Amino acid sequence: MTGRTPVLSVRGLSVRFLMPGGRGVAAVTDAHFDVAAGECLALIGESGCGKSVLASALLGLLPGNAQTAGAALLGDLDLLTAGERTLARTVRGRLVGLVPQSPAAHLTPVRTVRSQLEETVAELTGVRGRAALREAAESAAGRAAFPADHLDRHPHELSGGLAQRAATALALVGDAPLLLADEPTTGLDRDLVHRTVDELRRHVDNKADDRDRALLMITHDLAAAERVADRVAVMYAGRIVELTRAADFFGAPGPRHPYSRGLLDALPDRAFAPIPGLPPELGALPGGCAFAPRCESATDACAVQPPLTGTVACHHPHAALTEAADRA
C-alpha cells in the first residue's frame, strides 16, 4: 500500500456462522487490508468466496448466528464492535455509503424513487424546501445515470439495471468517506458499467471539500476493476490470497497466485479457459491451501495453509519482479 492514511483498516477480520448441531462455517478468515484515502480497492473472486459476507460485517448487517473477530477501523471507530444505534445513526449512509448487491431488496417498494432520494437527501445533507429537495434528488439521480423520467416510478416498475442505478444514486447522496459497492455493475450494459464505475471513482477523487474518501468495490467484473482500481484483493474460500497493485495484476508481471491467474485466463479476451473444478463448500474446506485440489502446481507442501507473505499466499507463486511485488 502507499503511504496515504487509511480510510479503512481491516485487521484479522473473521466471520463464522454457527449452524444447527453446533457446526461452524468459516465464511471469512483472517482478512487483513487497508483502503487508503483516494484509493479504490477491488475485491474479486468467484461466487461464494466470502466477499459479500465481509461487506455485511463492515456494516453490521450479518444474521444473528454470525460471530465476528478482528477489527475494522474507520478512523477511531471499530465497525465490528459498534452497536446498532451507532451503525444506524452514524455509520450507514453517513460514514459508509452502500451500493447493495440486491438493490431491489434495499428500495422501499411502496414509495417512488424520487421520494426515497428526497428523504435521503434531507436526512444526510440537511437540505430543506420542496424545490431544493427536488433539485438535489434529480442531481443525485443524474450522477448515477438514472433517467429523470423514471424518478416517479416505484421499484417494481424498474428493470434490474435501473434498480441498480437508483441504489447507486442513494449511496452517493451522503458523500460518505467510504463507499462500499457490492457488485455495482449488475444488470448494466457496458457503456453504463463504464459510467457507473467512473462516477464511483470520481467520488473517491473529489477534492472539493478536502475530505478523504475511498472505495471498496466487490465485483465479478474484472474489466470494471481494471478500469478504476488502484489495487486488487483476490479472495478464495474465505481468505485473501493475493493483494497487489492493479497495474501489476492486469499488466506485467501479472498475478502471482495460480487462482488469480486462472481468473484472468478465463476472460474472453485472454485464454478463455475456465478454472478446472469447483470452489469448495465453506463448511467443508480441505486442509491446507483450499485451492490445492484445483491447482496444477500443488505439492505436498500445500497441505499446510500458506500465509499472506508480501503480496501472495501461496507455496508456489508465479515468478514476478521483486520490485513490482514490493510496491504493493
Side-chain angles (χ1 to χ4, degrees):
M1 196 190 81
T2 70
R4 292 173 291 181
T5 303
V7 171
L8 175 69
S9 184
V10 171
R11 293 292 178 269
L13 192 160
S14 297
V15 180
R16 181 180 177 88
F17 294 108
L18 297 180
M19 308 303 288
R23 183 172 64 93
V25 174
V28 179
T29 301
D30 199 29
H32 288 258
F33 62 88
D34 292 330
V35 190
E39 180 183 42
C40 170
L41 175 65
L43 182 60
I44 66 174
E46 292 168 292
S47 296
C49 69
K51 304 187 303 297
S52 293
V53 172
L54 188 153
S56 296
L58 296 178
L59 287 167
L61 297 176
L62 293 169
N65 67 330
Q67 294 181 333
T68 61
L73 298 176
L74 189 66
D76 295 328
L77 178 64
D78 188 347
L79 299 175
L80 300 187
T81 59
E84 175 57 28
R85 183 183 180 90
T86 298
L87 290 167
R89 296 193 173 190
T90 304
V91 174
R92 299 178 194 132
R94 291 176 171 83
L95 294 179
V96 183
L98 173 66
V99 181
Q101 184 177 26
S102 302
H106 285 71
L107 298 171
T108 304
V110 296
R111 299 181 59 192
T112 65
V113 175
R114 183 189 301 278
S115 69
Q116 294 180 64
L117 276 171
E118 290 181 353
E119 179 184 57
T120 303
V121 167
E123 181 179 354
L124 298 184
T125 70
V127 171
R128 295 291 185 269
R130 185 170 182 177
L133 283 173
R134 184 181 183 88
E135 181 180 355
E138 291 177 355
S139 176
R143 290 178 66 186
F146 187 90
D149 59 359
H150 285 57
L151 279 168
D152 294 311
R153 297 188 179 186
H154 292 81
H156 72 272
E157 299 176 291
L158 304 177
S159 66
L162 282 175
Q164 186 70 55
R165 282 182 267 170
T168 301
L170 287 165
L172 291 170
V173 165
D175 281 325
L178 177 66
L179 197 59
L180 202 168
D182 191 358
E183 301 292 354
T185 60
T186 300
L188 305 182
D189 62 35
R190 187 49 50 184
D191 286 344
L192 281 172
V193 166
H194 291 168
R195 181 165 177 176
T196 297
V197 297
D198 287 351
E199 185 57 49
L200 298 180
R201 181 77 231 191
R202 276 191 289 272
H203 172 86
V204 172
D205 294 336
N206 180 15
K207 301 298 183 183
D209 54 8
D210 295 323
R211 295 179 69 190
D212 288 335
R213 296 180 175 86
L215 168 63
L216 176 58
M217 184 171 73
I218 296 169
T219 185
H220 290 94
D221 190 337
L222 298 188
E226 183 176 12
R227 185 176 178 90
V228 299
D230 298 292
R231 290 189 302 146
V232 173
V234 182
M235 202 165 193
Y236 186 79
R239 291 182 181 272
I240 293 177
V241 298
E242 187 160 6
L243 180 59
T244 190
R245 294 198 329 152
D248 296 332
F249 185 88
F250 291 107
R256 301 194 68 200
H257 198 283
Y259 175 64
S260 305
R261 298 185 80 90
L263 290 176
L264 282 186
D265 286 344
L267 295 176
D269 60 345
R270 303 220 180 194
F272 206 26
I275 302 173
L278 295 172
E281 294 289 336
L282 292 177
L285 294 177
C289 175
F291 187 63
R294 307 173 70 186
C295 182
E296 295 179 353
S297 302
T299 66
D300 291 344
C302 302
V304 177
Q305 175 64 47
L308 183 64
T309 302
T311 64
V312 64
C314 182
H315 291 296
H316 309 292
H318 286 264
L321 297 176
T322 302
E323 59 269 26
D326 288 344
R327 281 200 299 268

